[in-house]
């Protein structure tokens, strides 16, 4: 498949696809937790970086291929191929951003995005001009289309799952390899024939760009993708530092709990029974009794009701101060759990992990300093021997 290809350009094309996927889906993952004013900017940025990454990977792959020496690029089809890519990426991300991301919604968005990536490829291929004809092996065309749809579905699942850090990096690697695999599969099924062997010739009708001009454009776009990737890492580090910074309100709560006589004689803290979360263009209210866990996301939180996570404008410290302390426990600097809904606890590294029950069970980490308190809340401290297994099961 890679016969006569430039191996360095092939490696560069895969790397650009990975960086574009990481940057695009990293921005897209922040859409749900952002304020409304910045969502359009994030959606446009995510679609732009994904489209630039996919399109740049395509033309780096074209430059790596053994094309005829007198081949040139028609400017209009080349621009149209980029517009196709940008439109389908933006529409697909928007399609799964509104409402609940059901399986069918994601599947339809993946079909649209997959067909768009394939269309971008073949429109760009037929933007080549010169005294030759291009013939395609249709089984390879079908296979490349299936790979494009699979890559699109995997990428959209990355966005919905809100992966971050190392998991997002692994997902971006898989996405970049899949998109590159689609391109090189399609190239493997493409053949150049002398114009005498076919009646159709790739004529130079319209504005034409040489391979040198396209190389400069692609080089600039590579710098753009790399710069976006590096800039995406800076806010992540800043937000992580802010999340780790002690919150004054948390210190005040702890001081109140440590007051003489456990705060007797002081006004009782109000306990909320409903939590406001964001729905499709509206605000929903979830009963506190239905909440399984709460996860910090920058200055906001993600509330899990046993089925899915929903964004709440409250911070993690505000959640801790408002919810009933007899039901909820902050087991990690970024996680609060509803103790009655814990169905499993097991040791993991220096800390532990608990599983919260519901239609969609999920795991929450427990920091080492909180294990003893959580065990006491679960009734394990009195009857646990020193060698008892750390995995337990109890009904929610």
């Amino acid at each position: 498949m890679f016969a006569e290809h430039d191996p360095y350009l092939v490696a560069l094309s895969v790397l650009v696809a990975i960086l574009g996927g990481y940057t695009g889906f990293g921005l897209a993952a922040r859409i749900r937790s952002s304020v409304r004013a910045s969502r359009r900017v994030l959606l446009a940025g995510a679609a732009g970086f994904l489209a630039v990454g996919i399109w740049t990977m395509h033309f780096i792959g074209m430059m790596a291929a053994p094309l005829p020496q007198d081949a040139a690029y028609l400017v209009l089809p080349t621009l149209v191929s980029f517009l196709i890519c940008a439109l389908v990426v933006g529409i697909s991300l928007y399609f799964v951003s509104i409402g609940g991301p059901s399986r069918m919604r994601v599947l339809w968005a993946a079909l649209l995005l997959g067909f768009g990536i394939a269309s971008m490829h073949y429109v760009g291929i037929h933007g080549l001009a010169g005294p030759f004809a291009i013939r395609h092996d249709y089984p390879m065309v079908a296979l490349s289309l299936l790979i494009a749809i699979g890559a699109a579905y995997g990428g959209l699942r990355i966005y919905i799952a809100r992966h971050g850090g190392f998991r997002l990096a692994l997902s971006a690697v898989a996405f970049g390899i899949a998109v590159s695999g689609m391109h090189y599969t399609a190239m493997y099924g493409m053949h150049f024939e002398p114009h005498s062997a076919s009646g159709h010739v790739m004529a130079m009708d319209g504005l034409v760009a040489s391979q040198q001009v396209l190389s400069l454009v692609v080089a600039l776009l590579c710098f753009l993708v790399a710069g976006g990737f590096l800039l995406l890492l800076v806010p992540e580090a800043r937000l992580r530092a802010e999340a780790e910074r002690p919150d004054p309100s948390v210190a005040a709560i702890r001081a109140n709990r440590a007051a003489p006589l456990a705060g007797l004689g002081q006004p009782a803290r109000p306990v909320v029974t409903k939590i406001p979360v964001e729905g499709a263009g509206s605000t929903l209210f979830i009963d506190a009794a239905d909440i399984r866990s709460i996860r910090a996301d920058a200055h906001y939180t993600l509330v899990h009701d046993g089925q899915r996570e929903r964004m709440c404008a409250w911070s993690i410290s505000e959640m801790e101060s408002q919810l009933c302390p007899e039901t909820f426990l902050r087991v990690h600097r970024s996680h609060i759990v509803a103790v009655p809904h814990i169905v499993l606890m097991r040791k993991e590294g220096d800390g532990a992990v608990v599983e919260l029950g519901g239609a969609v069970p999920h795991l929450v980490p427990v920091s080492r300093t909180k294990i003893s308190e959580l065990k006491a809340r679960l009734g394990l401290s009195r009857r646990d021997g020193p060698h008892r297994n750390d995995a337990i099961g109890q009904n929610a």
Side-chain angles (χ1 to χ4, degrees):
M1 182 180 292
F2 297 103
E4 301 181 11
H5 278 68
D6 187 324
Y8 297 105
L9 289 179
V10 171
L12 179 61
S13 68
V14 177
L15 178 61
V16 168
I18 292 172
L19 294 183
Y22 186 95
T23 307
F25 287 116
L27 289 174
R30 300 180 181 181
I31 292 176
R32 292 182 180 274
S33 60
S34 65
V35 295
R36 295 184 181 277
S38 62
R39 288 186 177 182
R40 293 183 180 181
V41 177
L42 287 174
L43 181 61
F49 275 105
L50 278 172
V52 169
I54 295 170
W55 188 87
T56 305
M57 173 267 134
H58 165 78
F59 279 97
I60 294 176
M62 293 284 290
M63 290 187 293
L67 301 179
Q69 292 185 352
D70 49 359
Y73 293 88
L74 295 174
V75 173
L76 182 59
T78 301
L79 291 177
V80 169
S81 68
F82 176 77
L83 291 176
I84 292 174
C85 189
L87 284 174
V88 296
V89 169
I91 293 173
S92 300
L93 290 180
Y94 176 76
F95 194 56
V96 297
S97 297
I98 59 175
S102 64
R103 186 180 299 273
M104 286 303 300
R105 183 188 292 271
V106 176
L107 181 59
W108 281 111
L111 288 172
L112 172 64
L113 182 55
F115 275 99
I117 293 174
S119 300
M120 177 277 300
H121 173 87
Y122 286 104
V123 169
I125 287 293
H126 285 270
L128 285 171
F132 51 80
I134 296 178
R135 179 176 61 85
H136 298 282
D137 294 338
Y138 291 107
M140 290 293 102
V141 173
L143 179 59
S144 66
L145 179 59
L146 290 177
I147 295 175
I149 294 174
Y153 184 80
L156 293 175
R157 295 302 304 182
I158 296 171
Y159 162 56
I160 294 173
R162 302 177 55 82
H163 290 172
F166 184 67
R167 295 177 65 187
L168 176 60
L170 290 179
S171 301
V173 170
F175 176 78
I177 293 175
V179 171
S180 304
M182 175 270 156
H183 170 84
Y184 289 108
T185 300
M187 293 294 289
Y188 182 69
M190 185 185 74
H191 307 282
F192 292 97
E193 297 179 346
H195 103 88
S196 58
S198 175
H200 178 69
V201 180
M202 309 304 290
M204 295 188 183
D205 295 332
L207 188 61
V208 177
S210 66
Q211 296 193 38
Q212 289 77 15
V213 172
L214 186 67
S215 299
L216 292 175
V217 174
V218 169
L220 290 175
L221 293 179
C222 285
F223 281 112
L224 176 64
V225 172
F229 169 75
L230 295 175
L231 287 175
L232 183 67
L233 299 180
V234 174
E236 284 289 323
R238 177 178 56 81
L239 292 177
R240 190 179 298 112
E242 290 180 356
E244 294 176 355
R245 188 182 305 157
D247 194 313
S249 60
V250 176
I253 294 169
R254 290 175 177 171
N256 181 56
R257 290 178 179 173
L261 301 178
L264 291 177
Q266 299 180 4
R269 288 191 297 126
V271 175
V272 298
T273 58
K274 291 184 179 293
I275 301 296
V277 296
E278 190 168 308
S282 60
T283 300
L284 305 177
F285 292 89
I286 297 180
D287 287 333
D290 295 332
I291 296 175
R292 266 61 174 176
S293 66
I294 300 164
R295 175 165 64 93
D297 187 17
H299 299 293
Y300 306 96
T301 48
L302 296 170
V303 179
H304 203 300
D305 61 0
Q307 296 183 346
R308 55 169 293 186
E309 283 186 325
R310 299 177 185 272
M311 196 272 284
C312 177
W314 294 1
S315 66
I316 189 75
S317 58
E318 188 174 2
M319 282 286 191
E320 185 180 19
S321 65
Q322 295 289 344
L323 292 171
C324 177
E326 297 179 357
T327 302
F328 294 90
L329 176 65
R330 189 165 181 175
V331 295
H332 188 275
R333 69 169 181 269
S334 302
H335 295 274
I336 296 174
V337 298
V339 177
H341 288 290
I342 295 177
V343 297
L344 177 74
M345 179 178 178
R346 70 169 184 267
K347 185 175 177 59
E348 186 168 290
D350 293 335
V353 170
V354 293
E355 179 178 323
L356 283 304
V360 182
H362 62 288
L363 300 176
V364 174
V366 180
S367 64
R368 178 173 54 85
T369 58
K370 287 290 185 177
I371 293 178
S372 298
E373 183 178 358
L374 180 59
K375 281 188 173 183
R377 294 284 293 271
L378 293 172
L380 298 177
S381 298
R382 301 186 187 90
R383 64 174 182 269
D384 276 6
H387 303 294
R388 188 180 188 275
N389 194 304
D390 284 326
I392 68 165
Q394 78 178 47
N395 293 327

